[in-house]
Amino acid sequence: MLYAILCYHNEDVVMSWSREEDDAVLAKRRSVQKELVDTDRMGPAIRLMPTSAATTIRASGSEQLVLDGPFAETKEQLLGFYVVDCENLEEVVDFAKRMKEGESVTFEIRPVQIFEKGNLPEREASTK
């Protein structure tokens, strides 16, 4: 079954990390992800750009408003997500716990269905 592991954290804290701190967090997570990568069960890992780059579309009566920035002001922001293929909830919870070890990040796990596969070509990953 496919699951999304949504990553929430204080964006200001994460954006203040040095390149070395960020690389260390990602390296630790990659070591945990290796077992799923090796068995072709690790989907994309997505990092969202900062909320300052967000655009929100919202209805105001019959009008569609396009607004700069995020819709909600929260203490933690959705910073990205992982897509994984695990046998059951217990397996994905164990995987997420191991990725989270030693971090103050919040992970939310949700089962997912592919609505439409899409046809985007492979692209190089952008970095922080």
Side-chain angles (χ1 to χ4, degrees):
M1 173 168 233
L2 293 178
Y3 291 91
I5 302 172
L6 308 174
C7 304
Y8 294 90
H9 203 302
N10 181 315
E11 180 177 85
D12 292 335
V13 170
V14 173
M15 296 307 290
S16 73
W17 290 347
S18 69
R19 178 67 177 208
E20 291 76 21
E21 290 170 308
D22 192 57
D23 287 348
V25 168
L26 296 179
K28 182 198 64 90
R29 288 187 185 173
R30 281 187 196 104
S31 70
V32 174
Q33 295 164 12
K34 185 173 180 351
E35 74 180 66
L36 293 184
V37 169
D38 290 348
T39 56
D40 294 327
R41 297 184 305 138
M42 184 74 204
I46 308 295
R47 178 176 268 180
L48 300 175
M49 298 304 290
T51 55
S52 60
T55 300
T56 300
I57 301 172
R58 176 173 158 186
S60 177
S62 63
E63 189 177 348
Q64 296 289 332
L65 300 176
V66 178
L67 308 168
D68 290 336
F71 176 70
E73 292 292 325
T74 60
K75 290 182 181 178
E76 291 184 326
Q77 293 77 37
L78 175 62
L79 300 184
F81 58 94
Y82 298 88
V83 177
V84 298
D85 185 3
C86 291
E87 290 295 318
N88 52 43
L89 182 61
E90 183 178 315
E91 182 183 14
V92 72
V93 166
D94 178 64
F95 174 72
K97 282 180 174 179
R98 287 183 288 129
M99 272 205 316
K100 182 186 179 330
E101 196 169 289
E103 296 182 37
S104 60
V105 65
T106 299
F107 283 153
E108 175 183 341
I109 299 168
R110 291 194 199 178
V112 298
Q113 293 177 303
I114 296 176
F115 180 63
E116 290 186 23
K117 188 173 179 179
N119 62 356
L120 288 175
E122 291 270 334
R123 297 178 191 253
E124 286 192 32
S126 63
T127 57
K128 182 176 174 184

